[in-house]
Amino acid sequence: MGEPAAEIVMYRRPGCGHCVALSLGLRARGVPFRTVNIWRDPEAAAFVRTHAGGAETVPTVVVGN
C-alpha cells in the first residue's frame, strides 16, 4: 500500500471567483479537499496573511504539512 494522500486545504472567502473556479476544478477531478472561510476564522485569516506578505490573498492552498 502507498502512503495516504496529503490533505489539501483551501483558504477562501465568500464571493471569490478564483476560489469557486478552483473548487469546481478539484471536484470535477475527484480531488478531496476542505475549505476554510477566512472571514469566519480569524486564525485562518492570520495564517493566510503570514504566508502572503500581509495580504489576505485567496485562494491560498496548503497541501500536507
Side-chain angles (χ1 to χ4, degrees), residues 5 7 13-17 20 26-27 34-35 40-41 46 53 58 60:
E7 180 184 34
R13 69 172 168 256
C16 170
V20 171
L26 291 171
R27 283 189 186 111
R34 72 179 175 95
T35 63
R40 290 192 177 187
D41 185 336
V58 291
T60 295

Side-chain angles (χ1 to χ4, degrees), residues 33-51:
F33 67 100
R34 72 179 175 95
T35 63
V36 179
N37 180 340
I38 67 168
W39 284 0
R40 290 192 177 187
D41 185 336
E43 288 180 17
F47 173 83
V48 168
R49 286 191 303 272
T50 298
H51 294 284

Side-chain angles (χ1 to χ4, degrees), residues 19 23 26 31 40 56:
C19 299
S23 294
L26 291 171
V31 177
R40 290 192 177 187
E56 290 186 353

